[in-house]
């Protein structure tokens, strides 16, 4: 695989906070930049804002062309004019997470000292460790800057479901409705283990250079590609892989003892090689760590305690063939919310598409999400 | 991780076949060496021989100290004096697979030309692709050389279960009883995908050098370690990882934002770093490919056709939390054997230990295996 130079410079829409943000680890990021996109119009009552959070490798381009890949927004199936998250009706906000690589403060951005003075080089692995709660703190600043005191809803799947939960636990008065999708209240040992494989692959790429790969304009493409390959397997189900590829051969009509014998191999390698053209390795390390750290019960004593007396209404959804964030973890969340006397509805969507189903065309899920948002809007008189 | 020189030279017990063996891919390996160990004594009727096959990273030291690691045999829980595979009663044979790295002809051994003339360097990636059937062909030669026309039983788990099935399909008259454990009749798309991640990690290690790493006495330790890490996750269940490690921290009493934060990470890295001291990367590439190729139905038209009119009796076992070779695949095998009118018993062992359970202390499994062998011995008058 060709080791390409870092990505083209793209001017992302950003909000800059000169005062910065203090992180869970104690470090201060000053200034703080939050790259974001909005869709639709904030109403006069400022009551129709929906924050969409993004997952590990997502970005703020939720419902429009992604400028690096040229592909459509990652949740266009759900978000847009007339869609379940209706941008004709709601003011949709989506921000690149803290630690990301699409314009928000992250390892690829220029390092600053504690007084905000630029250091003339990227942060790299000097970027402090961030948590899901840190990501949410940064989003809260953006939301306030956009004039929104209370969000109609915070929604998101996978790592963004973690952000949704953190929003509701940390800023309950600012979240009228919350929809954590295909998520969990903590990252499991198996999920940490898969992340560690990806990190080990990046660390072992000599082009990673201890995180200082920007110095010679290379990227740890091989390691990052392997990290993406293993992660991608966890996003699909065995059934989906069998349905899409089975044991079908790549080109040859019989087993030929060559490289990339099976279609599933070529597919995975393609996933790896395209990923490295759009994602920064140090961001990948930073964000996977943030997911691993996530543990609501540890933060708050228990999950139920995290949501004690919450005013927020919840919609929890899981997908039957998701083995990365299995239904059992959503059920545990629902039980904790029930114990906290929170209004919560739960749906398990039957599908063979695995974890990725939350991004795909799942009409039953989309109808349920649309209904949940409509109900929240009606309750608020939006 | 330190890139160590290749392993110390160990004199393995070997049978050498000057005529060599012709492989499925058409290549001839000449001579063929098969490294092996035996336990117990062949009886006068030559009717008490049990062939134990080994899995991907196993070896012939099934019931004794492994000379490289100094650890006990990999199946000592099952095989030994007075154990379910009783070496006081049975003559147990175990051979290093073709393509392996413990003395049988494989990528790390000296290359020979078609006339058997040594080429003064290891095979490396010039080693031809082998299949599970090729492995079985090599074992058949060894078994004959040891004076055994018909094996009382062929047993093995995981990849060795594939060998058991190939033995019964290819040499039905030579297999009185067969026990494929935690196996399947083909390698699934998901399993191929996980293997491909491991191969990609090895290929991307600059010390792999296109397979010619022996030239400067280094090994692709980083890549092979990552391959082992991802494979190891698939050998365990989520429940086992949670029980063994959960989210427990490594040393520190709180999340410290350091490397190897969680115990599960240190454990995985340890699995990787110890593995590279005992296993050859080119063997890993060769053997994972052999597993990927395995597809009994494709070879024989159908699984039932593979066992049509078989004289062999079967014992199939799976483990409830095994997601690499799930029970559903053993059930499919049993249905095909039923359709072929083969005598077959099947047991699913309840356990949370995942695929690795076949190697561990599982009394119910051991009792069933012991009973199956005792029944076969009784039927043969052993």
């Amino acid at each position: 695989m060709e080791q390409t130079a870092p990505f083209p410079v793209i001017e992302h829409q950003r909000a800059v906070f000169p005062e910065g943000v203090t992180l869970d680890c104690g470090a201060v990021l000053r200034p703080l930049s939050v790259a974001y996109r909005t869709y639709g119009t904030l109403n006069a009552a400022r009551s129709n804002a929906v924050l969409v959070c993004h997952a590990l490798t997502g970005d703020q381009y939720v419902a429009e062309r992604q400028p690096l890949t040229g592909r459509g927004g990652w949740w266009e199936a759900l978000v847009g004019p007339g869609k379940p998250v209706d941008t004709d009706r709601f003011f949709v906000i989506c921000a690149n997470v803290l630690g990301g690589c699409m314009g928000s403060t992250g390892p690829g951005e220029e390092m600053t000292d504690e007084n905000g003075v630029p250091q003339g080089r990227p942060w790299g692995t000097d970027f402090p460790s961030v948590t899901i709660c840190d990501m949410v703190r940064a989003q809260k600043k953006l939301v306030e800057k956009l004039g929104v005191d209370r969000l109609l809803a915070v929604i998101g799947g996978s790592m963004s479901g973690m952000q949704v939960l953190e929003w509701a636990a940390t800023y309950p008065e600012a979240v009228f409705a919350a929809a954590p999708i295909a998520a969990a209240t903590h990252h499991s040992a198996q999920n940490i283990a898969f992340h560690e494989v990806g990190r080990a692959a990046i660390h072992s790429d000599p082009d990673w250079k201890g995180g200082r790969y920007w110095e010679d304009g290379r990227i740890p493409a091989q390691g990052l590609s392997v990290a993406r390959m293993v992660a991608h397997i966890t996003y699909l189900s065995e059934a989906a892989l069998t349905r899409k590829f089975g044991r079908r051969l790549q080109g040859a009509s019989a087993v030929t003892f060559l490289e990339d014998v099976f279609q599933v191999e070529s597919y995975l390698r393609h996933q790896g090689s395209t990923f490295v053209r759009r994602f920064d390795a140090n961001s990948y390390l930073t964000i996977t760590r943030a997911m691993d750290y996530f543990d609501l019960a540890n933060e708050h004593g228990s999950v139920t305690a995290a949501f004690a007396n919450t005013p927020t209404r919840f919609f929890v959804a899981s997908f039957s063939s998701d083995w990365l964030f299995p239904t059992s973890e959503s059920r545990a969340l629902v039980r904790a919310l029930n114990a906290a006397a929170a209004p919560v509805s739960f749906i398990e969507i039957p599908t063979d598409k695995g974890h990725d189903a939350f991004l795909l065309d799942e009409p039953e899920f989309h109808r349920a999400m649309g209904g949940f948002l409509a109900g929240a809007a009606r309750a608020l008189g939006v």
Side-chain angles (χ1 to χ4, degrees), chain A:
Chain A
M1 188 183 308
E2 193 186 351
Q3 275 83 12
T4 53
F7 321 115
V9 175
I10 292 172
E11 280 303 319
H12 301 286
Q13 179 182 6
R14 301 189 200 207
V16 178
F17 302 90
E19 76 281 13
V21 64
T22 301
L23 306 178
D24 278 336
C25 68
V28 178
L29 289 174
R30 177 177 300 139
L32 167 70
S33 293
V34 180
Y36 70 100
R37 298 293 295 163
T38 64
Y39 309 88
T41 307
L42 186 61
N43 62 13
R46 299 170 182 266
S47 62
N48 70 332
V50 173
L51 179 70
V52 175
C53 303
H54 74 73
L56 169 53
T57 68
D59 52 50
Q60 64 271 39
Y61 299 96
V62 57
E64 67 191 300
R65 183 179 165 279
Q66 210 264 23
L68 262 177
T69 66
R71 297 177 60 182
W74 57 269
W75 224 0
E76 283 190 355
L78 193 73
V79 181
K83 302 214 171 140
V85 183
D86 188 350
T87 53
D88 288 338
R89 188 170 180 201
F90 304 125
F91 176 61
V92 171
I93 308 164
C94 187
N96 185 218
V97 295
L98 187 66
C101 50
M102 287 295 278
S104 289
T105 300
E109 299 287 313
E110 186 173 2
M111 186 175 176
T112 52
D113 70 9
E114 64 272 26
N115 299 312
V117 178
Q119 301 296 298
R121 67 158 177 100
W123 281 98
T125 47
D126 291 319
F127 193 75
S129 287
V130 302
T131 63
I132 299 292
C133 194
D134 292 330
M135 294 176 182
V136 167
R137 282 191 187 102
Q139 290 163 6
K140 182 67 160 62
K141 286 176 172 283
L142 172 69
V143 167
E144 286 174 3
K145 187 162 191 162
L146 293 173
V148 176
D149 292 329
R150 183 172 66 173
L151 290 157
L152 171 61
V154 186
I155 68 175
S158 194
M159 182 182 86
S160 31
M162 294 176 171
Q163 293 164 59
V164 172
L165 292 171
E166 198 71 79
W167 259 98
T170 310
Y171 306 110
E173 302 300 332
V175 182
F176 184 72
I181 309 300
T185 60
H186 66 275
H187 219 215
S188 72
Q190 188 179 65
N191 289 1
I192 294 172
F194 277 120
H195 272 175
E196 183 61 8
V197 169
R199 287 189 292 259
I202 293 169
H203 289 154
S204 68
D205 187 327
D207 283 332
W208 184 60
K209 294 186 181 300
R212 300 177 70 89
Y213 45 88
W214 69 84
E215 289 180 346
D216 51 8
R218 294 169 72 84
I219 58 170
Q222 305 276 8
L224 184 58
S225 174
V226 169
R228 177 62 167 180
M229 287 170 70
V230 65
H232 197 79
I233 299 174
T234 69
Y235 302 154
L236 305 176
S237 69
E238 177 165 10
L241 278 169
T242 299
R243 177 169 46 74
K244 286 171 85 163
F245 306 107
R247 295 181 44 83
R248 284 190 291 282
L249 303 175
Q250 178 69 16
S253 60
V255 171
T256 57
F257 303 92
L258 301 173
E259 291 302 312
D260 284 1
V261 173
F262 296 98
Q263 288 181 11
V264 67
E265 299 172 309
S266 304
Y267 169 76
L268 265 193
R269 286 190 183 259
H270 176 75
Q271 292 295 326
S273 62
T274 55
F275 181 62
V276 305
R277 293 202 287 269
R278 73 173 178 89
F279 213 86
D280 176 63
N282 284 334
S283 274
Y284 196 81
L285 297 172
T286 299
I287 300 175
T288 55
R289 265 289 177 235
M291 292 180 75
D292 293 353
Y293 294 142
F294 184 66
D295 186 352
L296 265 189
N298 190 53
E299 265 178 72
H300 298 271
S302 72
V303 178
T304 297
F307 300 111
N309 305 313
T310 183
T312 305
R313 57 173 68 191
F314 289 85
F315 167 57
V316 176
S318 69
F319 298 89
S320 60
S321 56
D322 183 350
W323 56 281
L324 193 66
F325 291 93
T327 290
S328 57
E329 303 203 354
S330 283
R331 284 194 196 282
L333 166 62
V334 170
R335 282 195 298 274
L337 288 168
N338 282 331
V344 52
S345 65
F346 168 64
I347 186 171
E348 183 194 43
I349 306 291
T351 175
D352 79 348
K353 294 175 187 161
H355 184 62
D356 256 3
F358 87 89
L359 296 168
L360 302 174
D361 184 29
E362 290 286 353
E364 194 182 342
F365 164 56
H366 292 174
R367 276 194 298 273
M369 177 68 94
F372 175 68
L373 283 184
R378 191 168 55 233
L380 268 193
V382 173

